Amino acid sequence: MLRVCEKLRVVDAKSKRHGLARTETDYLRALQDAMANMDSCVEVEVLKSLGDVNLEKGKMDKNSEMLDRAMVLYRTALIQCNDADVGESLEHRYHYAEKLRSYEEYLTTGDRALTDGKLDEAEQNFVSALREIHDPSKPDRGKEAECLCRLGDVYVQRGETTKEGRKFTQAAALYNAAMARMDKNKHSVTKKLQEIEQLFLHHTANVETKHVPPDLAIGHKKRLQEMRTCAKSQLEAIDHQHNPYQYDEDDPVMITVEAEGAEAVKALFKNIAKNRQGFIKDLVNECIATLGPPPCKYAFIGLGSQATELVTPYSDLEFAILIEEGKDTYDTRRYFLNLTHYLHLKVINLGETILPAMAIPSLNDFLSEDPEKDWFFDSVTPRGFAFDGFMPWASKTPFGRNKTKRKPPVSLIQTPTEMAKFQLLDISVAEGYHLSDILRRVVFLTGEEALVKIYEEKLKEVVTDGLLSPLLVRLSALKILEENREHINSHEPTGQLLNVKKDIYRFPGIAIEVLALITQITLASAWDIIDRLKEMEEIQEENATHLTVLTSISAELRLRTYLNNGGQQDKNTAHPDIAMSLNNLGSSWSHLGDHKKAISYQEQSLSMVKTIYGENTTHPDIAKSLNNLGSSWGNLGDHKKAIRYYEQALSLMKTIYGENTTHPDIAKSLNNLGLSWGNLGDHKKAIRYYEQSLSMGRTIYGENTTHPDISSH
């Protein structure tokens, strides 16, 4: 047996040097020896190795016969195997080979159907192949790319047959998703994407063009990246110039610097919104230059975060189109639909549109009640600057929404008068208020700005005039609060990382939206609404500052998360800047008096800094987080828990700075411990800590120096 095992070892070594063909011959000789020695254990191992060789050949050459042979070898080994662990490994290999066999068969059948022009059959087979190997947690990128490319070919032919613009954009999204999964040989897919643009212009827009410059998409990507780099550098500058958290929370300077930082963040987000507007305007003008002049006056209006000026360089593009009154004809709609498709094609070619957003029925059928038909999860394509998706609950683009079982179709290409009708009570109720809420706050992007002014006047007539407006306002406000009740309620502290968009960013937006509704402010920008609320004396100046700070920190945290993740991933990843923002949010909630919410964010910050620096590492940021948690628990009245955090912070600081070192942070922790013991009624212990803190403060600042830290001890 030892001789045969040694032979197997030699064969394994040869396989790395001489390739699979030579290896298979050597394994067959080893199998003969094992059978001659009647050694079933070695025989099973050799059969397994022979199966692996044939499996690898089948994968490399896309040879179904080799995959069949691998399955036979694995099954033969299984029959003779008496070891449970080896048997489990063989079962796994057998099913994997079976899956690959089915995959190759589906692709071959699909290729034949596509050649014969049987598009439904081809799509069905390519989708079946994709299903065989699709694993969101561990995607097989190469095989997914093969399937997605073929599906792209199907949708190109569908576009040529039906002349529907959406078929071409779906094809482009499939090709881009395939490219995201490819490490090399992208040239052929890039060429297909260039051909799609020409095919769309020819078949859908009836425009003949000889050549589409390939460097246009490259230029768009470069410009988008420059916007992101600029936002990141501005954020870093704000960190250096306005860092309120270098001061104690009760230091008046801290409040001033915090407010200045919030104003700087506000300016940053206004700048991002302006840059995005310019980018969108240039893309639209590029499309119009090819399609020809529009048949009437028009205006693109930005919705959602573009309108509220809380948009990031990674945010979805949500918009609608206003057209001139009296010009709503078939030809007008056809032009602007084609313009939207063409713009969509250019945005898709930025490479940041995930496939579910395209609502391709064979991958993600959102209208079906069968959950199995919404099965494809795109974990590879980066999610960034893209059209709002075609899902029924999204669809905030001129395409609107197709008819569903419960709702009629909606188009967001309308005259100002018709667009304003979405605010009417019966339509708002039927749509669930969300659409009317979105269309109430808009911003001009490109076209004729006068149309936006007309729309705003029409909006004002519906929202602020008439007998129904107070009822509509109350209903809208209540509906917003009801739909977001889960996110408004204080989170019990858990230490778990929250979703930036749902749990952090959304609350200030809801507060501002409801305040704007009940005060009948029709401004779009969240920042401008806060300023107007202050001017109208609906909120006090101090609360306006708190709301600005809270909005700035939540928006900044979302931007940091996207910059750190390289796209729209709302789960926090461990990063010092994000940890600092979470801590800042905790401080802001503490100022507003919601200490439970403050603790929730501070625990996230503590969890993150421990992840970054190590669970048992001594680091000033960990000590700071512990100290802040002690303060918040003290504010909640749990002084025992506060003392535990203060003692941990003090221990860390003494380790960092030295056991007998005098340092302001150590003095502060001693003072906090004195305060907590005093609140618990142990005044002797409180005095001891106060005396240590006072002595250290005088050593740091001088015996006879007047300093806020000494006066507070």
Side-chain angles (χ1 to χ4, degrees), residues 10-24 26:
V10 171
V11 172
D12 287 339
K14 281 184 179 179
S15 69
K16 295 175 183 177
R17 297 196 305 270
H18 302 303
L20 297 177
R22 174 83 173 270
T23 302
E24 186 172 18
D26 290 333

Side-chain angles (χ1 to χ4, degrees), residues 164-179:
E164 292 178 31
R166 187 169 170 187
K167 302 303 180 189
F168 289 115
T169 56
Q170 286 172 325
L174 287 160
Y175 286 143
N176 273 284
M179 289 229 322

